[in-house]
Amino acid sequence: TVTLGTATVVNNGDNTFTVTPSTDCTVQINFEALPSHSLSSAVSPAGAGTVELGSATINEGATTTATAVANAGYKFTGWSISGTGASLSSTSTNPTTVTMGTADATISANFEAVTTHAITYSVNGITNTVNVEENTAVDLSAPTSGVPVGYEFQGWAEEALNGTQSTAPT
């Protein structure tokens, strides 16, 4: 807006203007606040975890991050979002980036229960337990300390719940 003097102002887009003065002039630049909306979170099933938001109030078109944190016994399986124009950079990656649309939005983190099994192993009388998600491999390393002088690692022995024992390959 020309507030003093005479000038022609042409909007070139992208917040650039061409000003052609006919006299000394004052040009006023006006800004308008972008609309902002609330971003809330939900978890499914309830109690399976939490969602950490980078921000809960976001301008239209701006972004923030969302991180799913699973509670014990659960694992993250994906995201969904509701809200006009709101979108996610990925529905499966954690964390994800939320782009705010033109209305309030809710991002939901989805979890599923996991079954874990305890692997207990003993090395020279020292017992350790590792909890492993069902059908997930875990690497156990041969002991490097506490091995008596004159002994070397020969392999693992597996004992099932029924008490039978087999020797695993080294």
Side-chain angles (χ1 to χ4, degrees):
T1 305
V2 179
T3 60
L4 183 63
T6 307
T8 302
V9 178
V10 177
N11 184 346
N12 299 321
D14 295 332
N15 293 327
T16 61
F17 297 84
T18 300
V19 178
T20 307
S22 302
T23 65
D24 290 345
C25 63
T26 300
V27 178
Q28 180 177 328
I29 301 170
N30 300 308
F31 290 89
E32 181 179 295
L34 292 172
S36 63
H37 303 286
S38 295
L39 178 64
S40 58
S41 63
V43 171
S44 178
T50 59
V51 176
E52 296 173 354
L53 298 175
S55 179
T57 303
I58 307 161
N59 290 340
E60 285 184 11
T63 62
T64 192
T65 58
T67 304
V69 180
N71 286 340
Y74 291 91
K75 68 178 179 180
F76 171 77
T77 59
W79 297 104
S80 60
I81 194 162
S82 63
T84 306
S87 64
L88 301 172
S89 62
S90 171
T91 58
S92 60
T93 303
N94 186 29
T96 192
T97 300
V98 179
T99 301
M100 184 54 74
T102 58
D104 291 348
T106 301
I107 184 169
S108 297
N110 302 301
F111 298 91
E112 70 179 27
V114 294
T115 301
T116 58
H117 299 284
I119 298 176
T120 301
Y121 62 99
S122 179
V123 177
N124 298 329
I126 300 171
T127 301
N128 295 302
T129 301
V130 176
N131 293 312
V132 181
E133 186 177 321
E134 189 170 83
N135 298 317
T136 301
V138 63
D139 291 329
L140 299 177
S141 299
T144 57
S145 63
V147 177
V149 174
Y151 289 83
E152 69 179 17
F153 179 74
Q154 291 297 302
W156 295 95
E158 175 184 1
E159 184 175 321
L161 292 177
N162 65 10
T164 61
Q165 187 172 9
S166 65
T167 302
T170 57

